[in-house]
Amino acid sequence: MHLRSLKKTKKDVSLHDPIGTDKEGNEISLLDILGTEANEVEDQVQLKLEKTKIYKHIHVLDKREKEVIIGRFGLDNEEERTQREIAKELGISRSYVSRIEKRALMKLLHEFYRQGQRVT
């Protein structure tokens, strides 16, 4: 049983795993050579994972809800936009965009729980 669990994680790589040493003999991790702040890399990975979860369940939203969520959170390689910008684009009020966004997020949340996924 233990060998099966090791087989599953054998391909996993941590950003904190040592990959070598520097001239002074200090361990170097993958995170050290990426050239960015530690939190920035972790935040980017977390964001990618969260977007993947949203894409997996976006089918539960209607067309307008999808438009709002994609615009608000910068999905489909778009820039994140404000509620005001989305409202202007769709020809509706900012408060209506807010209501659509809230309804869409609740649908996604219910779908995550229905599928038994943990929401972070």
Side-chain angles (χ1 to χ4, degrees):
M1 197 64 154
H2 180 66
L3 292 176
R4 279 191 202 169
S5 66
L6 287 178
K7 185 177 180 181
K8 290 178 186 175
T9 61
K10 186 168 66 172
K11 297 177 186 172
D12 292 349
V13 177
S14 171
L15 295 174
H16 300 286
D17 286 345
I19 59 170
T21 57
D22 62 11
K23 292 177 183 177
E24 290 89 34
N26 300 320
E27 285 188 345
I28 298 175
S29 69
L30 186 58
L31 195 59
D32 295 330
I33 64 167
L34 287 175
T36 59
E37 294 294 322
N39 290 343
E40 184 178 333
V41 172
E42 291 170 4
D43 290 346
Q44 289 294 326
V45 170
Q46 184 65 31
L47 181 62
K48 182 123 178 122
L49 291 172
E50 290 170 358
K51 283 184 176 182
T52 301
K53 283 183 184 179
I54 292 172
Y55 283 126
K56 186 176 178 182
H57 299 292
I58 204 161
H59 67 277
V60 300
L61 304 179
D62 66 31
K63 184 180 181 234
R64 181 152 284 182
E65 291 167 339
K66 283 181 190 178
E67 287 179 281
V68 169
I69 294 300
I70 287 170
R72 286 290 287 144
F73 298 102
L75 304 176
D76 289 343
N77 297 321
E78 289 187 20
E79 288 289 317
E80 292 180 13
R81 291 177 291 171
T82 65
Q83 289 179 346
R84 192 172 311 277
E85 291 169 333
I86 294 170
K88 186 176 181 180
E89 179 184 309
L90 297 177
I92 57 179
S93 70
R94 190 219 46 86
S95 62
Y96 190 50
V97 169
S98 178
R99 288 193 297 270
I100 293 170
E101 179 182 342
K102 183 177 179 180
R103 183 177 62 232
L105 291 175
M106 289 304 293
K107 279 185 177 180
L108 288 171
L109 181 66
H110 287 291
E111 187 65 17
F112 289 148
Y113 279 120
R114 192 178 76 71
Q115 296 292 325
Q117 293 184 353
R118 188 173 67 118
V119 179
T120 54

